[in-house]
Structures are given as C-alpha cells and as structure tokens.
Amino acid sequence: NAGVTQTPKFRILKIGQSMTLQCTQDMNHNYMYWYRQDPGMGLKLIYYSVGAGITDKGEVPNGYNVSRSTTEDFPLRLELAAPSQTSVYFCASSWVRPPTDTQYFGPGTRLTVL
Amino acid sequence: QKEVEQNSGPLSVPEGAIASLNCTYSDRGSQSFFWYRQYSGKSPELIMFIYSNGDKEDGRFTAQLNKASQYVSLLIRDSQPSDSATYLCAVKSGDDKIIFGKGTRLHILP
C-alpha cells in the first residue's frame, strides 16, 4: 500500500494563478482531510470529506475548493492564489471508528505564492 | 472557540531521561486524544491515542488523560536523540472536529 500520496511536492505560484493539489489514498478510508501548516504553527483544517460526494468546510476554507468524486481522491483547488496561501499543505485520511480516528498523512506539498 | 494549548518549547531533555509533554483543551465534551510526532520537514505520524481517563502505555511512551482537569500528557522514557521532533496534541471535540495544538519542540541532548 502506498498510503496517502500527494502531488506536487513543491510549487511556486504567482499571485492570481490557480492550481490543484492532488491527494490519493489506497486504504479505502472514508474520511479525508486537507490541512495547512504555517511555520511554527499547528495544523489548520481547510476542508474535509466523510465520503464520496460529501464535503464540508473546516476552520480556514476561504480561497479553496474541494471535490470528492471517488473514495480514493480528494483534490484541493486554489483559485486566485494570494501570498497568505504560502504554506505546507497536508492531506490525510482516516477510517472513522469511534472513539478513535487515527489520521494518516501524506508527505505534504510546499506552496509558495509570490 | 475550542482550543488546544501546548507549550511551544523547545523542551531540552538529556538522553536517557524522561521527557514530559503537556496539553490542555477547552472543550469538556472532547472524546478522543491523540499524540502525533513530526520530524522537521516531514508529515505528522501517530504515536498514541487515548480516550479513557488514566494511563496508556506503549513501549517507551505513556499517554495520560485527566478529563476532569482537561489535561493530557505524553511521557517518553529513556529518551533517545531520535525522539527529537515536534509533538502535536490533537483533540476530537464534542462536535466531532479534530483540533490540533501548535506543537512542542523536543530536543534530546546527547
């Protein structure tokens, strides 16, 4: 199993450009998440999905969009990139089995907006 | 605003000693508690989870939960240089949201 994979690993965008961060998991997890992590800070939840076709906003959704057409894929779309979106983006997945929700993280995408 | 608080550190501990990492949370309805380890430039990986009051041990790691005091801790016995990392506390709140603290940087001194 590859686990959670993310592409690209690094990207530099100009202000106003758009891009899609890809995330795929092969563990048949029902939940998937997108986080951003700024230097010296914890993880902030952007969007999450509880299953194919269902998505919901997290703590910091502005400037982002997501879709979940399959169990495996959960792409994150950045529209009109801004310097404030410079961050490391982590995708994660979990098989929710209350009360535990162990999340498995991808390697991250380091995004710089200039 | 539900919060998870951690001392940012760095916490410096001699090799072979016990490292103690602490976390407090604001939501009394929180259900599950997680400790993740994150090496510099890498993604977080789960060390332990705990959801009942008391201690839970796994090898050199012990998680402690006190729901009355809204406090969860992680003890690392016989600390090794490879334990040097940032430790993230995460809490599953009463409304099923998982909230991460900012992390504590741990430095094990050889």
Side-chain angles (χ1 to χ4, degrees):
Chain A
N1 284 354
V4 180
T5 57
Q6 292 182 238
T7 57
K9 286 189 170 58
F10 304 92
R11 183 72 185 267
I12 297 174
L13 283 182
K14 294 182 180 178
I15 293 172
Q17 287 185 319
S18 300
M19 76 165 293
T20 298
L21 281 66
Q22 301 293 343
C23 176
T24 299
Q25 55 96 4
D26 63 359
M27 297 174 281
N28 201 31
H29 285 166
N30 52 349
Y31 276 52
M32 294 187 75
Y33 314 80
W34 274 106
Y35 293 92
R36 59 175 288 171
Q37 186 176 38
D38 299 330
M41 303 294 283
L43 297 162
K44 300 283 189 183
L45 183 64
I46 304 171
Y47 271 96
Y48 68 101
S49 167
V50 303
I54 306 170
T55 62
D56 206 349
K57 295 178 182 179
E59 188 180 355
V60 290
N62 291 344
Y64 307 94
N65 274 302
V66 294
S67 60
R68 182 105 181 263
S69 57
T70 67
T71 300
E72 295 79 19
D73 300 307
F74 190 40
L76 177 72
R77 177 81 177 162
L78 276 73
E79 305 282 1
L80 298 175
S84 61
Q85 293 178 305
T86 294
S87 190
V88 179
Y89 292 83
F90 289 105
C91 178
S93 71
S94 65
W95 178 250
V96 176
R97 189 178 301 136
T100 66
D101 305 66
T102 300
Q103 295 190 23
Y104 295 85
F105 286 82
T109 294
R110 188 175 297 274
L111 175 68
T112 302
V113 181
L114 300 173
Chain B
Q1 180 88 2
K2 298 182 177 67
E3 294 182 336
V4 175
E5 300 285 345
Q6 295 181 255
N7 188 321
S8 62
L11 173 66
S12 295
V13 174
E15 184 175 356
I18 296 175
S20 178
L21 303 162
N22 304 315
C23 173
T24 59
Y25 58 95
S26 62
D27 181 11
R28 282 197 171 275
S30 297
Q31 307 167 28
S32 308
F33 308 85
F34 307 84
W35 282 102
Y36 286 83
R37 178 176 62 200
Q38 186 176 24
Y39 291 115
S40 181
K42 301 295 186 181
S43 56
E45 55 180 339
L46 181 76
I47 299 175
M48 293 188 71
F49 65 85
I50 185 169
Y51 53 85
S52 298
N53 272 329
D55 295 359
K56 179 181 179 182
E57 187 174 319
D58 183 2
R60 295 187 297 113
F61 299 95
T62 299
Q64 299 176 318
L65 175 60
N66 184 327
K67 289 187 178 180
S69 300
Q70 295 174 243
Y71 177 94
V72 58
S73 65
L74 179 71
L75 301 178
I76 306 175
R77 289 182 300 280
D78 188 23
S79 296
Q80 303 295 311
S82 59
D83 295 326
S84 296
T86 296
Y87 289 80
L88 301 170
C89 173
V91 175
K92 184 180 181 184
S93 64
D95 59 358
D96 281 351
K97 296 280 170 49
I98 295 179
I99 303 166
F100 283 81
K102 294 180 181 178
T104 298
R105 283 184 296 136
L106 175 65
H107 183 210
I108 305 301
L109 304 169

